[in-house]
Amino acid sequence: PEYNCAYYAGTEGACADYGDGFANHGLNANAACCACGGGSGGGARQSEPPAPSGRSPRDLPSSGRCGRRVRHPWSRLTCAERQQYIDAVHTLYTDPALKQQLEDFVGTHVRAFPYAHSTSAFLAWHRQYLVGYENLLRTVPGAECQ
């Protein structure tokens, strides 16, 4: 079996028996998995990273009405934040209008694969692609500014 949070959620007693061992990316199941009572990333995280030049992040230009975009690693998201992301992706797959947009978006990646992955533009292309993915997620009702 694959020992991830789904395993711990679906295996009775796994959190108690094995949740303190077997760290993955520095976190064990009891610290990282919502099913084991973790999921806050093993500790508090800043809501926003420090801004350059000692300025407050609120003083920096925003990305529209939703404010500045801040990406956090999955391991540092709270259970509620993880569930909100999962719910938004589920909506993309189940809402017919959004599903078509998602399929078009994925198709762009498939068609551009040889160009995006084999050139010096790789990082810039993927950076822009992720912004597009975030924008698509933000079309999901309830996830507009997440």
Side-chain angles (χ1 to χ4, degrees):
E2 187 174 343
Y3 298 101
N4 54 25
C5 290
Y7 166 81
Y8 285 95
T11 306
E12 189 173 336
C15 294
D17 294 341
Y18 308 110
D20 286 323
F22 310 106
N24 187 3
H25 299 288
L27 297 171
N28 60 35
N30 286 342
C33 297
C34 297
C36 296
S40 63
R45 65 168 162 77
Q46 294 179 346
S47 61
E48 297 176 289
S53 308
R55 296 180 357 199
S56 164
R58 303 207 189 289
D59 296 335
L60 298 175
S62 72
S63 58
R65 70 176 181 84
C66 293
R68 185 167 174 252
R69 293 178 191 232
V70 179
R71 293 186 191 129
H72 298 287
W74 183 261
S75 63
R76 297 289 182 219
L77 296 178
T78 65
C79 295
E81 290 168 329
R82 290 178 186 188
Q83 192 60 53
Q84 185 176 34
Y85 173 79
I86 291 167
D87 291 345
V89 172
H90 182 261
T91 300
L92 288 178
Y93 277 97
T94 57
D95 181 286
L98 294 174
K99 183 175 182 179
Q100 184 59 55
Q101 291 180 48
L102 177 64
E103 289 173 354
D104 292 344
F105 191 76
V106 171
T108 297
H109 189 266
V110 170
R111 287 186 303 278
F113 187 88
Y115 310 105
H117 287 230
S118 303
T119 70
S120 60
F122 174 79
L123 294 176
W125 190 90
H126 268 89
R127 195 172 309 122
Q128 183 61 37
Y129 187 80
L130 285 176
V131 168
Y133 179 65
E134 289 174 352
N135 289 340
L136 181 58
L137 283 170
R138 287 178 172 205
T139 65
V140 174
E144 292 89 350
C145 290
Q146 304 306 318

